[in-house]
Amino acid sequence: MRLALTTVLYAPGELPAALDDLRAAGGQGLELQPHHTHRLLDGTDDPGALVDAAAAAGVGVAAVMCGFLHDEASLDAHRRTATLAARLGADVIPILPPPPGRGTLAELAGLLDALAADAGPLGVRLAVHHHAATIVEGPAQIDELLGLVAPEVAGLCFDTAHYALYADDEADAARRYAARTTHVHVKDLVRRRADLGYVPDGRTGARAFRLPGDGVLDVLPAVRALHEEGYAGWAALEIENFLRPRDVSASLGLERTRGALA
């Protein structure tokens, strides 16, 4: 399993700082969040410069996230993201399902088929991110989508904290979904879902999510279960608040995640 760092807390223009923090923390890859991806797609930032900066730091680009996949326009953006990912040396695109009312699971499966036809030949895999406030939230929706999508088309971006918003068996679930998992997000929750009182979103996520080991979930057993089941892709630490300086959170979170693999 390879360890990555997401760029949630790094503003546009701060990718060099993210690369420095990743290198210092002993991680291997950087996962680009949409606010960085879109600047690379529209030419605001230079993909070649990012490749050079990553090489200079001795790390790589692990994954490139574009956003929601729900219509032809977003399909086109994801096709361009697949080309970008290949140029950057990344091998996976985590994909957000649409919010309720903006598509069905069957429609999402069709869009994934179309995207895989272009991404596959580039060596780029698709990972559907089950996520709060989308049409793929908990186990029942995950299972239904995976039943509609062939393994060679798309896998799952298994997120320890988002899964735990809808069920309490994240370590068992990691083992159960390991064969269909093509990317992983690693983070914890401050309280179990029954005690949280809300579903984290863009406004409340920072106070709900925690580094692995700082919350109440079985995050590290879930990472260990994936490892034991043979998952060899990226496990991306997702830091969503400034409870510690970013570099400290990166070092501590990746150290704890690495410890689960020993």
Side-chain angles (χ1 to χ4, degrees):
M1 191 181 301
R2 297 167 292 171
L3 300 185
L5 177 68
T6 69
T7 58
V8 173
L9 296 185
Y10 296 86
E14 290 191 324
L15 286 181
L19 289 169
D20 286 344
D21 291 347
L22 171 68
R23 176 193 53 77
Q28 298 158 282
L30 199 68
E31 178 184 324
L32 303 184
Q33 293 290 294
H35 60 286
H36 297 290
T37 299
H38 290 271
R39 287 170 61 91
L40 291 161
L41 289 175
D42 69 15
T44 302
D45 293 334
D46 178 13
L50 176 57
V51 170
D52 291 344
V59 297
V61 178
V64 184
M65 194 169 185
C66 180
F68 295 103
L69 179 62
H70 60 92
D71 59 12
E72 287 298 321
S74 60
L75 174 59
D76 178 66
H78 277 84
R79 284 177 168 139
R80 291 185 290 117
T81 299
T83 300
L84 172 66
R87 180 177 178 184
L88 297 175
D91 59 7
V92 64
I93 302 175
I95 295 170
L96 287 172
R102 299 191 67 181
T104 66
L105 291 178
E107 290 168 340
L108 176 59
L111 291 169
L112 291 167
D113 278 332
L115 178 58
D118 291 315
L122 296 172
V124 176
R125 299 169 298 156
L126 310 181
V128 181
H129 185 352
H130 61 93
H131 197 287
T134 73
I135 63 171
V136 185
E137 292 179 318
Q141 293 162 321
I142 293 172
D143 292 343
E144 185 176 354
L145 179 67
L146 293 180
L148 293 171
V149 178
E152 61 270 21
V153 169
L156 184 69
C157 173
F158 184 76
D159 186 304
T160 53
H162 277 279
Y163 181 86
L165 293 172
Y166 302 95
D168 292 327
D169 64 335
E170 57 275 3
D172 289 340
R175 193 176 300 278
R176 186 167 70 250
Y177 291 122
R180 291 297 306 269
T181 295
T182 46
H183 195 58
V184 175
H185 281 172
V186 181
K187 59 179 179 284
D188 212 328
L189 276 175
V190 65
R191 289 185 295 277
R192 279 278 174 192
R193 62 192 181 103
D195 301 318
L196 199 56
Y198 58 93
V199 175
D201 58 19
R203 295 175 296 103
T204 59
R207 63 185 172 93
F209 296 124
R210 293 291 185 272
L211 289 186
D214 279 357
V216 299
L217 304 183
D218 292 327
V219 175
L220 299 180
V223 172
R224 189 176 304 116
L226 286 162
H227 178 62
E228 291 172 351
E229 292 297 319
Y231 173 73
W234 291 101
L237 175 69
E238 198 163 32
I239 307 166
E240 302 211 22
N241 55 55
F242 290 92
L243 296 177
R244 297 181 179 92
R246 293 179 306 197
D247 60 335
V248 175
S249 288
S251 292
L252 182 58
L254 289 179
E255 178 185 357
R256 290 174 178 176
T257 306
R258 191 179 298 112
L261 307 178

